[in-house]
């Protein structure tokens, strides 16, 4: 049976992949974005009922992160509107090892609707579609927590799991933790990208205060710097975030995409060889 599904953050890293998959399967997909009509804006709840009207299920991503102040209130308000609009199922993208995100999860779990929680480790795509891309393009990656190991998960795998959760009731009430199949440090990631692109990429280990000072000098907003500090201190160094899970294999019946495969595929697109503006 075809469903009406709202994908919040439908133009983001996971959202746009989910939209593409659902469209291919013939479902009616509504993209939740400020640029759509009706528009979805987390800061304008008065407009939410129009966006949620007629939807069977919702994929929820909260920007910039479930850890930021105001996220819990927004998620709780969204669940109320969802119930009022007759939505049946919520799939929440959460962060593995994030205590604040787990507080938001509880709001979804206890709201009275069917749900699936998808806890993801750090995305592989952070190096090609997000905040780690620019230093790679400049040829010099300088980051704190240089030797902390992370089981990076591919956004394609997250999208595949989310689509399964949206469409199959057997995933109702489940919490899935999504990781890649091995642990990598920033130093190792940089080396893999250098090998795949044939570029010389330098890596320098720096302290977190040095990193935040660098972000400040580049004009990065204070709230974003707060989030970066939170992610490096509370999440990246969290022992739980360094545990490899096999939930991708459990849900999809196949192994998680290896980081090296992501690197080879991404290098072929040329994204890491773009000219840098002076």
């Amino acid at each position: 049976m075809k469903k009406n599904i709202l994908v919040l953050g439908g133009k983001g890293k996971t959202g746009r992949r989910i939209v593409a998959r659902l469209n291919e399967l013939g479902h009616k997909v509504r993209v939740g974005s400020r640029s759509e009509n009706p528009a979805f804006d987390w800061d304008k709840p008065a407009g939410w009922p129009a966006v949620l009207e007629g939807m069977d299920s919702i994929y929820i991503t909260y920007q910039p992160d479930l850890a930021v102040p105001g996220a819990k209130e927004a998620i709780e308000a969204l669940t109320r509107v969802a119930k009022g609009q007759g939505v049946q199922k919520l799939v929440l993208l959460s962060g593995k090892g994030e205590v604040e995100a787990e507080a938001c999860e509880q709001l979804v779990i206890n709201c009275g609707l069917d749900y699936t929680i998808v806890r993801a480790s750090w995305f592989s795509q952070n190096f090609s579609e997000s905040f780690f891309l620019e230093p790679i393009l400049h040829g010099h990656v300088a980051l704190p927590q240089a030797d902390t190991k992370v089981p990076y998960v591919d956004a394609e795998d997250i999208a595949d799991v989310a689509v399964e959760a949206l469409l199959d009731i057997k995933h109702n009430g489940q919490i899935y933790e999504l990781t890649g199949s091995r642990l990598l440090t920033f130093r190792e990631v940089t080396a893999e990208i250098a090998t795949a692109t044939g570029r010389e990429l330098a890596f320098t280990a720096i302290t977190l205060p040095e990193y935040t000072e660098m972000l400040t000098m580049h004009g990065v907003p204070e709230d974003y710097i707060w989030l970066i500090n939170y992610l490096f201190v509370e999440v990246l160094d969290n022992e739980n975030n360094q545990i490899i899970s096999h939930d991708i294999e459990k849900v999809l019946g196949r192994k998680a995409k290896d980081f090296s495969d992501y690197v080879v595929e991404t290098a072929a697109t040329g994204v890491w060889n773009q000219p840098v503006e002076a």
Side-chain angles (χ1 to χ4, degrees):
M1 184 176 70
K2 302 305 179 184
K3 295 185 177 182
N4 298 322
I5 301 174
L6 170 63
V7 179
L8 298 182
K11 296 183 178 180
K13 285 191 286 294
T14 61
R16 72 173 187 274
R17 290 172 165 89
I18 292 167
V19 168
R21 285 160 170 75
L22 292 172
N23 279 329
E24 287 174 7
L25 293 169
H27 296 280
K28 183 178 178 182
V29 184
R30 179 174 292 169
V31 175
S33 169
R34 285 178 293 184
S35 61
E36 295 294 311
N37 186 18
F40 182 89
D41 188 330
W42 281 107
D43 295 325
K44 298 179 180 177
W48 296 355
V51 183
L52 273 61
E53 185 178 2
M55 296 294 104
D56 300 312
S57 307
I58 307 174
Y59 173 74
I60 305 170
T61 57
Y62 184 82
Q63 297 299 322
D65 193 275
L66 288 174
V68 303
K72 291 193 289 290
E73 292 79 6
I75 295 298
E76 185 173 26
L78 183 73
T79 62
R80 288 198 301 267
V81 175
K83 287 184 72 173
Q85 291 295 328
V87 173
Q88 299 163 16
K89 172 76 179 280
L90 304 175
V91 175
L92 177 69
L93 178 65
S94 185
K96 188 172 183 290
E98 290 190 33
V99 174
E100 282 78 3
E102 290 177 16
C104 293
E105 293 174 11
Q106 288 302 312
L107 295 171
V108 171
I109 290 169
N110 296 317
C111 76
L113 300 176
D114 290 330
Y115 70 88
T116 305
I117 306 297
V118 178
R119 291 178 183 162
S121 184
W122 280 31
F123 295 9
S124 300
Q125 280 73 14
N126 285 341
F127 296 96
S128 54
E129 301 177 19
S130 194
F131 46 93
F132 296 140
L133 173 59
E134 187 173 350
I136 291 171
L137 294 179
H138 282 86
H140 186 191
V141 179
L143 290 170
Q145 304 277 28
D147 296 312
T148 299
K149 292 182 175 289
V150 177
Y152 294 99
V153 62
D154 198 282
E156 301 287 348
D157 284 345
I158 299 171
D160 284 340
V161 169
V163 168
E164 287 291 326
L166 286 163
L167 299 180
D168 196 326
I169 61 172
K170 72 180 181 182
H171 302 294
N172 288 359
Q174 298 297 312
I175 298 175
Y176 295 125
E177 296 199 335
L178 309 188
T179 73
S181 58
R182 59 194 175 103
L183 297 161
L184 291 160
T185 65
F186 287 131
R187 198 185 307 273
E188 291 167 336
V189 165
T190 304
E192 286 211 22
I193 295 172
T195 299
T197 57
R199 296 180 56 204
E200 287 190 15
L201 294 179
F203 181 87
T204 302
I206 60 175
T207 66
L208 186 56
E210 287 172 331
Y211 186 56
T212 55
E213 182 180 354
M214 184 173 66
L215 295 177
T216 302
M217 289 174 58
H218 283 82
V220 175
E222 286 186 15
D223 56 348
Y224 183 83
I225 292 175
W226 177 90
L227 178 58
I228 289 293
N229 271 275
Y230 170 80
L231 292 174
F232 273 98
V233 174
E234 301 295 334
V235 180
L236 189 66
D237 213 25
N238 185 314
E239 287 185 6
N240 179 57
N241 198 43
Q242 297 165 29
I243 296 172
I244 292 172
S245 161
H246 299 284
D247 283 354
I248 288 174
E249 189 169 355
K250 181 166 75 173
V251 175
L252 302 178
R254 61 166 176 79
K255 292 185 186 256
K257 187 174 185 177
D258 189 77
F259 189 82
S260 292
D261 293 330
Y262 153 76
V263 169
V264 170
E265 291 173 12
T266 304
T269 69
V271 68
W272 287 320
N273 294 93
Q274 299 177 69
V276 179
E277 294 182 9

